Amino acid sequence: MSDFAIQTDQVSMSYGGHLALDQLTLNVKRGEIFGFLGHNGAGKTTTVNILTTLLKPTFGQAKICGFDIISDALNARRQIGYAPENIRLYDAMTSQENLRFLAQLSGIENVDKTIDDTLELLGCQDLKVRRVGTLSKGQRQRIGLAQAILHRPSVLFLDEPASGLDPMGVQMLRDLIVRLNAELSMTIFMNTHLIGEVAKTCTSIGVLSHGKLVYTDTIKAVMERFGDDEALENLYLSVTPTSKNQEVA
Amino acid sequence: MAPLHIMTAALQVSLRDRTVVLIAGLFMALVLISAYLGWSATTTVHEVYLKVAEAYATKGEIAPSNPVSNTSPLELLRNMTTYVALIGALSGMVLGNKITSVDRKSGVYPLMASRPIGAASIAIGKILAIIVSISSLLGFAALINVGTFWVLPNISLNADEWSRLAQFYAASNLYVIAFGFLGALFAVTSRSETAALMIPVTIWLTVTFIIPQLTANVLPMAALNPLKSMTAAPTGAFFAFTGAALTPFSIAEAYRALSAILLGFAPSGFQFNSLITPMQTLFVVNGVLMSGVVLAYLGLNASRSDYND
């Protein structure tokens, strides 16, 4: 069994003539909460789309728990849970119906019990029979998270999970991420541009700028080196060039 | 199992869509009205005949035969061919569109695509949903017609007529399903939701009204009339070429010809001017469109599956 939950080797992605991801080489160990930082358009979502097998890279290789995302995509998918930014489900169906459908596609056998257990874990059993179209943003995010962890994946991908949430929602999400990591031993890969959240939640970080990975280390090492949360922000700003042509210091 | 789960969810969501319910309801209402009109007209003719026969009997003369018994009872269904060709095809397109576009509109498609299933399984699930929903709609229409034949006076279908009725509904099913696949094909391939519905509607109008003009010089409005459209194709180099080239894909003509033959209202000596039979045309078009839907799903980029509008 591979020690790494995520391995990428020179993964590149170009749309037309635009290079969205430039030779990304990254290793994330099992059990980590990895914060993937970067400005808007840095290539974070493209990275998650590639790692969740939704998008084929134009160059390079990537593996999830040792399974190649192209040649062994179905096994790679069995290892992952995915909650996209602004989670959307079938509005006309209840949370339970949406979760049942996605659980069935994941090949879960005891579907109803799994849904109950997952909703209980997330503290949102009251949303079970409500139509998704009637849920608030925060409630949708919870059901979105529920669908991503139904099959207890080894690696959970969260794309801007705190986007649009109020401070209370952000706090609850943070606690949830830490619990999922601790109680279910999930490796969590979290795209975000909220530096404060990364400092409070993650165990390691990577910084992406204009498609290039410009920095990666453990949070512990970052804190030892730079001191506090504010220093993390300074680090982020120092390694993120304002223009693509600017060299990283 | 994944295709069955996808089919069930697609049907569940579609049945809660107002547009789908409205258009399916409209089709069913038309079938009921058609059945009522058929029952009403036949009953009236039969009652008038009984009175006339009684008058003949009081004069001691032999009454002519009952006109209700002189025509094929299946001819009563000829209006159904128009309903199927118009509202049936439209229902098929809307169902095909809704069943496949809902995942892209709702944003569920990337979640489905991140599950351990292939794109082909998703395509098969959607194709099954289209077939089941349209067959249910046509099955309901068939039941109404069977019920109507049961209650009509002085009418009973023999084994051959029951068989032809079943074949007519099989052909109608294939015809409407083809439009379901057409709706699905553009719902999967189009970047815009508007184009996803407008392109199949344009193709439907072309297939129903334009192509029959090119292959057999059938005037657009005559194409709606189950009797007037049953004319022989004109001779000449133009029609010889367009007939040979387009008739195998002229699904509306094939359906009308097949219905006329099965329901017994085709003019004597009528022949479908094509290298393949009308039923084969329906199968060919369905096969091509179904393959198109599978290929469309295989080529759908899950990370960019949202519509632009």
Side-chain angles (χ1 to χ4, degrees):
Chain A
M1 196 171 72
S2 170
D3 287 342
F4 293 102
I6 300 166
Q7 293 168 285
T8 70
D9 182 20
Q10 298 197 340
V11 169
S12 300
M13 183 72 214
S14 75
Y15 298 106
H18 171 67
L19 194 60
L21 207 55
D22 190 1
Q23 298 183 50
L24 176 72
T25 298
L26 179 71
N27 292 313
V28 177
K29 281 185 185 164
R30 285 178 185 265
E32 289 210 51
I33 303 178
F34 185 82
F36 205 36
L37 284 161
H39 54 82
N40 290 334
K44 303 189 298 292
T45 298
T46 298
T47 305
V48 166
N49 283 338
I50 289 171
L51 294 175
T52 51
T53 76
L54 300 180
L55 191 62
K56 279 185 185 165
T58 41
F59 184 79
Q61 276 190 320
K63 287 180 180 175
I64 302 292
C65 300
F67 297 105
D68 190 280
I69 57 152
I70 297 169
S71 62
D72 203 359
L74 292 189
N75 273 325
R77 285 176 194 167
R78 285 191 182 94
Q79 311 302 319
I80 62 169
Y82 169 51
E85 186 181 3
N86 298 323
I87 183 77
R88 289 177 296 161
L89 296 157
Y90 293 128
D91 281 354
M93 294 197 343
T94 63
S95 305
Q96 186 183 27
E97 288 167 336
N98 270 291
L99 294 175
R100 184 179 290 138
F101 170 56
L102 292 164
Q104 287 166 336
L105 294 191
S106 300
I108 293 170
E109 285 183 6
N110 200 346
V111 171
D112 288 331
K113 187 179 180 309
T114 305
I115 292 172
D116 287 341
D117 290 350
T118 306
L119 291 177
E120 194 183 333
L121 180 74
L122 301 182
C124 53
Q125 301 98 311
D126 54 323
L127 306 179
K128 185 176 163 182
V129 292
R130 282 183 57 188
R131 284 201 175 187
V132 167
T134 67
L135 301 181
S136 70
K137 167 95 183 171
Q139 290 168 330
R140 274 170 186 255
Q141 290 287 85
R142 283 184 162 228
I143 300 301
L145 202 54
Q147 66 78 26
I149 62 166
L150 276 171
H151 52 300
R152 306 296 183 258
S154 303
V155 189
L156 177 63
F157 288 94
L158 304 173
D159 194 1
E160 303 284 1
S163 163
L165 291 182
D166 58 27
M168 264 179 67
V170 173
Q171 169 73 48
M172 280 197 292
L173 181 77
R174 189 190 305 145
D175 294 345
L176 214 53
I177 289 169
V178 172
R179 273 181 63 204
L180 288 174
N181 175 254
E183 293 174 22
L184 301 177
S185 308
M186 278 181 200
T187 305
I188 294 170
F189 185 99
M190 185 168 73
N191 268 359
T192 184
H193 53 256
L194 302 176
I195 295 166
E197 286 315 303
V198 170
K200 286 172 185 153
T201 319
C202 297
T203 55
S204 59
I205 62 161
V207 182
L208 197 66
S209 176
H210 300 289
K212 269 187 179 287
L213 185 68
V214 291
Y215 186 86
T216 182
D217 211 338
T218 62
I219 281 288
K220 196 178 167 191
V222 171
M223 291 303 176
E224 279 173 5
R225 189 173 162 196
F226 296 99
D228 55 20
D229 288 12
E230 201 177 323
L232 185 62
E233 190 171 340
N234 291 334
L235 161 75
Y236 173 71
L237 293 172
S238 70
V239 298
T240 308
T242 49
S243 81
K244 193 171 182 177
N245 297 327
Q246 191 179 330
E247 284 297 314
V248 174
Chain B
M1 284 300 281
L4 290 180
H5 296 314
I6 289 164
M7 179 197 77
T8 309
L11 291 174
Q12 233 177 340
V13 178
S14 302
L15 282 174
R16 293 176 194 178
D17 186 295
R18 280 183 198 162
T19 316
V20 169
V21 172
L22 188 75
I23 204 150
L26 186 64
F27 179 70
M28 290 181 184
L30 279 173
V31 172
L32 280 169
I33 290 167
S34 164
Y36 172 76
L37 290 176
W39 171 82
S40 170
T42 309
T43 308
T44 306
V45 170
H46 182 64
E47 282 172 2
V48 169
Y49 171 77
L50 289 179
K51 284 178 185 166
V52 171
E54 199 182 319
Y56 270 100
T58 52
K59 286 184 193 171
E61 293 175 18
I62 299 167
S65 60
N66 188 340
V68 172
S69 316
N70 287 344
T71 52
S72 165
L74 292 178
E75 264 196 60
L76 289 171
L77 293 182
R78 66 173 172 238
N79 283 338
M80 273 302 295
T81 60
T82 307
Y83 298 155
V84 168
L86 295 180
I87 193 79
L90 192 63
S91 309
M93 275 186 292
V94 170
L95 273 167
N97 175 283
K98 293 287 178 185
I99 282 170
T100 45
S101 68
V102 67
D103 309 321
R104 294 184 62 187
K105 267 171 74 178
S106 64
V108 173
Y109 190 75
L111 301 182
M112 291 164 72
S114 69
R115 256 60 188 182
I117 52 166
S121 293
I122 299 177
I124 293 166
K126 295 294 180 178
I127 285 168
L128 286 175
I130 291 168
I131 292 171
V132 167
S133 59
I134 291 174
S135 300
S136 304
L137 202 63
L138 269 296
F140 173 81
L143 277 178
I144 296 290
N145 288 148
V146 168
T148 310
F149 282 123
W150 231 294
V151 298
L152 279 176
N154 223 35
I155 280 182
S156 63
L157 269 59
N158 59 34
D160 175 57
E161 285 166 335
W162 281 119
S163 160
R164 283 194 284 131
L165 179 67
Q167 287 176 64
F168 167 70
Y169 269 101
S172 300
N173 216 12
L174 281 173
Y175 183 74
V176 179
I177 286 171
F179 284 97
F181 290 156
L182 186 70
L185 179 62
F186 286 96
V188 179
T189 52
S190 300
R191 292 293 298 151
S192 139
E193 197 186 346
T194 313
L197 204 53
M198 288 313 293
I199 296 171
V201 168
T202 309
I203 292 174
W204 165 61
L205 291 171
T206 307
V207 163
T208 309
F209 300 112
I210 311 294
I211 291 182
Q213 259 191 305
L214 297 175
T215 56
N217 201 25
V218 177
L219 293 174
M221 290 318 290
L224 289 176
N225 189 317
L227 281 178
K228 280 186 179 171
S229 58
M230 298 291 111
T231 51
T235 53
F238 177 79
F239 286 105
F241 172 73
T242 55
L246 296 175
T247 312
F249 304 100
S250 186
I251 187 170
E253 272 184 284
Y255 173 66
R256 232 176 359 244
L258 190 56
S259 303
I261 294 163
L262 289 169
L263 300 180
F265 64 84
S268 59
F270 170 76
Q271 278 194 322
F272 184 59
N273 186 27
S274 175
L275 295 172
I276 57 175
T277 66
M279 194 58 116
Q280 284 170 335
T281 300
L282 291 175
F283 275 111
V284 167
V285 172
N286 268 286
V288 169
L289 289 170
M290 192 165 71
S291 309
V293 173
V294 175
L295 289 174
Y297 267 106
L298 292 176
L300 181 61
N301 181 345
S303 69
R304 289 183 156 194
S305 58
D306 280 8
Y307 288 116
N308 285 341
D309 50 1

